[in-house]
């Protein structure tokens, strides 16, 4: 369940940053650009949080839930394509701010989550190495 806490905490952090950036866009450009940016961020966050659902399904004991979890990758990408493609095609939102909001969620994910994951992996490697040293010297 820690992946849910991570996903929701990250989503709150990104959403709060998006409010600030959206406000700046609103002041310097227009409401339509800020709305498109907010829509792109919302689609990105929905896709990101659905990853936690996928992880839950993939780590369950049931073969059925794991199969559904594997299939959810395709569904998530289809959702993103439709959620961004249809408004872009119909001209409902300015495309560049919408895509920038969506891409910004994944850029922020890499800037925020990956360093933490690398620290966790590095810590486990150091512990493993210390354990190996103890066995050799004992």
């Amino acid at each position: 369940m820690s992946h849910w806490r991570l996903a929701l905490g990250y989503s709150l952090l990104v959403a709060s940053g998006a409010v600030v950036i959206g406000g700046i866009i609103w002041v310097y450009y227009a409401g339509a650009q800020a709305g498109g940016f907010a829509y792109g961020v919302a689609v990105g966050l929905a896709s990101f949080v659905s990853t936690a659902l996928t992880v839950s399904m993939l780590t369950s004991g049931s073969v059925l839930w794991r199969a559904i979890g594997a299939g959810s990758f395709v569904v998530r990408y289809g959702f993103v394509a439709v959620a961004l493609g249809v408004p872009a095609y119909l001209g409902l939102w300015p495309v560049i701010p919408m895509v920038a909001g969506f891409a910004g969620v994944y850029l922020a994910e890499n800037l925020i989550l990956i360093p933490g994951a690398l620290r966790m992996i590095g810590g486990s490697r150091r512990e493993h190495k210390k354990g190996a040293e103890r066995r050799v010297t004992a």
Side-chain angles (χ1 to χ4, degrees), residues 22-45:
I24 293 169
I25 292 171
W26 185 291
V27 168
Y28 286 104
Y29 293 101
Q33 274 75 14
F37 176 80
Y39 179 78
V41 168
V43 171
L45 287 175

Side-chain angles (χ1 to χ4, degrees), residues 1 19 26 29-30 32 65 68-69 73 77-78 99 101 113 117-118 130:
M1 283 307 218
V19 167
W26 185 291
Y29 293 101
W65 281 114
I68 292 170
F73 282 106
Y77 293 131
V99 173
L113 295 178
L118 291 175
K130 286 179 185 177

Side-chain angles (χ1 to χ4, degrees), residues 12 36 51 57 72-74 82 93 95 108 117 133 136:
L12 289 174
T51 303
M57 288 188 273
S72 73
F73 282 106
V74 175
V82 170
W93 294 110
V95 174
E133 290 173 0
V136 171

Side-chain angles (χ1 to χ4, degrees), residues 98-115:
M98 183 176 60
V99 173
F102 175 78
V105 169
Y106 284 94
L107 175 63
E109 175 187 351
N110 289 326
L111 293 176
I112 294 170
L113 295 178
I114 290 178

